[in-house]
Amino acid sequence: MILLTGGTGYIGSHIAVELLQAGHDVAILDNFSNSDETVIERIESITEREVILYRGDVRDTLLLTSIFQSHDIESVIHCAGLKAVGESVKDPLAYYDVNVYGSVTLCYAMQQAGVKQLLFSSSATIYGVNAQPPYTETMARGESSSPYGTSKGMVEKLLEDLSDSDPQWSIAVLRYFNPIGAHPSGLIGELPQGTPNNLMPYISQVAAGLLPELLIYGNDYPTKDGTCVRDYLHVTDLAVGHRMAVAALKKPGVNYFNLGTGSGISVNEMVEAFVSATGMNVPYRFAPRREGDLGAFWACSKKAERELEWRAEKTLEDMMVDTWRWQQFSTKTKRSH
Ligand code: WQD
């Protein structure tokens, strides 16, 4: 069985579907701070399999201990964490508490239970403000532009120290680039609380008429069209990467993998791709740069291709069509409350 923390979140729920459909048994631990219980029913209806759910917090040692005592957990995929860059600047303690202390608590419970196979959900943001793209896993971690990024880098470091102290640990650190899109069923997807920070949900809410227009933060960057460039990958491709990484969790030590497509797309190109894939209108205007944004970065994902036999398969059009289907479903659902 695999314990999946944060398994009802945007990324976690897609990982749960992928694991269950591949025949794994999955237990989810989630405190629902950024999701809700309906996601469990949706995961079960997509996969026609049962999920074991523990409603609780990854900082709860007693709960973690009882989970490891109740199930034969072979490995843990740790997605539970706070992930909003702007929020982390306003509330850094919450980010170090949940993301760092939460990871320490989880690793202690795993150590006590003798479970030493771990996948950690990390982020391209750890490469820092001075890294030159394409990012490769051999690059050192750089100075982060937010407490969110710093907390991810701290967990990577503590996992290295844990592995150095006990070679029985087999740890894969997956550095996500920009996951977007939704499961093709339209039943699970991103559920941003309040106004979305991220580009994709913002575009789809403008198209749905929930927001008046998109502000494009900066068109004076040294990029192909002046707008920021990122490596967007389909969230289902990201989920497949986790399944492949679990299968490779045999080597001792900490192994890093970039999960990205290997190519960069600009904000302008994202808007154009969404409009041409959906036929919807997305009014926008250029606004000043957003604090902390980097002009351009994208992955070198050759290591994941080589060692995990993984590569992102879905196209930009798939990402847009699947995002829009989810938006229409979730907007309808919202109205039905
Ligand atoms: C993408 C581009 C914006 C909104 C962050 C975190 C990363 C991960 C994903 C957690 C940028 C531009 C956005 C808008 C815009 N989070 N933009 N108007 O900043 O690359 O990554 O979210 O894991 O760790 O750093 O993603 O989607 O916020 O922005 O112009 O209304 O879209 O300036 O260039 P980002 P994003």
Side-chain angles (χ1 to χ4, degrees), residues 83 85 123 125 148 178 197-199 202 214-217 228 230 232 267 290 293 297:
K83 55 146 279 183
V85 173
S123 168
T125 195
Y148 160 73
N178 286 58
N197 300 307
N198 296 136
L199 179 66
Y202 206 105
L214 170 71
L215 298 185
I216 296 183
Y217 299 136
C228 286
R230 294 288 185 273
Y232 298 95
V267 178
R290 181 172 69 174
D293 273 344
F297 61 84

Side-chain angles (χ1 to χ4, degrees), residues 223-242:
T223 60
K224 53 185 112 167
D225 57 23
T227 64
C228 286
V229 169
R230 294 288 185 273
D231 184 333
Y232 298 95
L233 74 157
H234 199 292
V235 66
T236 55
D237 279 329
L238 187 74
V240 170
H242 285 73

Side-chain angles (χ1 to χ4, degrees), residues 21-278:
Q21 285 183 326
H24 289 285
D25 294 327
V26 175
I28 285 179
L29 170 63
D30 206 312
N31 67 1
F32 295 104
S33 63
N34 193 21
S35 61
D36 65 47
E37 296 237 9
T38 56
V39 174
I40 292 289
E41 296 146 29
R42 304 242 179 96
I43 291 171
E44 291 186 330
S45 87
I46 293 169
T47 60
E48 294 177 343
R49 295 205 55 209
E50 209 184 307
V51 177
I52 295 172
L53 170 67
Y54 287 92
R55 171 192 278 274
D57 197 297
V58 74
R59 294 165 291 180
D60 183 341
T61 298
L62 286 179
L63 175 57
L64 285 168
T65 305
S66 72
I67 292 172
F68 285 111
Q69 282 170 347
S70 312
H71 306 280
D72 177 16
I73 307 283
E74 293 109 37
S75 50
V76 176
I77 298 180
H78 181 31
C79 291
L82 302 179
K83 55 146 279 183
V85 173
E87 182 186 57
S88 78
V89 176
K90 297 191 195 90
D91 189 5
L93 286 181
Y95 276 69
Y96 293 119
D97 186 8
V98 175
N99 293 359
V100 182
Y101 175 59
S103 299
V104 170
T105 308
L106 174 64
C107 288
Y108 256 136
M110 289 176 69
Q111 191 174 55
Q112 297 304 321
V115 178
K116 298 184 176 179
Q117 296 196 359
L118 172 65
L119 255 69
F120 173 61
S121 160
S122 190
S123 168
T125 195
I126 58 92
Y127 287 106
V129 298
N130 300 314
Q132 290 306 311
Y135 291 170
T136 61
E137 293 88 348
T138 50
M139 285 176 169
R141 281 185 290 272
E143 184 210 333
S144 169
S145 58
S146 73
Y148 160 73
T150 304
S151 74
K152 288 295 184 181
M154 287 165 88
V155 177
E156 289 196 359
K157 178 68 178 101
L158 80 84
L159 292 175
E160 285 169 11
D161 292 343
L162 175 60
S163 165
D164 289 346
S165 76
D166 174 357
Q168 283 187 337
W169 281 88
S170 175
I171 299 169
V173 174
L174 305 182
R175 289 164 171 172
Y176 305 166
F177 281 71
N178 286 58
I180 61 171
H183 191 269
S185 64
L187 292 175
I188 55 173
E190 205 163 357
L191 277 168
Q193 292 177 344
T195 307
N197 300 307
N198 296 136
L199 179 66
M200 194 72 260
Y202 206 105
I203 289 176
S204 68
Q205 288 195 20
V206 169
L210 299 174
L211 292 168
E213 65 175 351
L214 170 71
L215 298 185
I216 296 183
Y217 299 136
N219 65 333
D220 59 351
Y221 285 95
T223 60
K224 53 185 112 167
D225 57 23
T227 64
C228 286
V229 169
R230 294 288 185 273
D231 184 333
Y232 298 95
L233 74 157
H234 199 292
V235 66
T236 55
D237 279 329
L238 187 74
V240 170
H242 285 73
R243 174 170 57 79
M244 316 289 254
V246 165
L249 259 187
K250 300 282 176 284
K251 281 169 63 179
V254 183
N255 216 346
Y256 294 96
F257 295 99
N258 288 338
L259 294 187
T261 65
S263 60
I265 307 279
S266 76
V267 178
N268 272 338
E269 288 170 328
M270 288 287 282
V271 176
E272 283 157 20
F274 183 88
V275 168
S276 63
T278 63

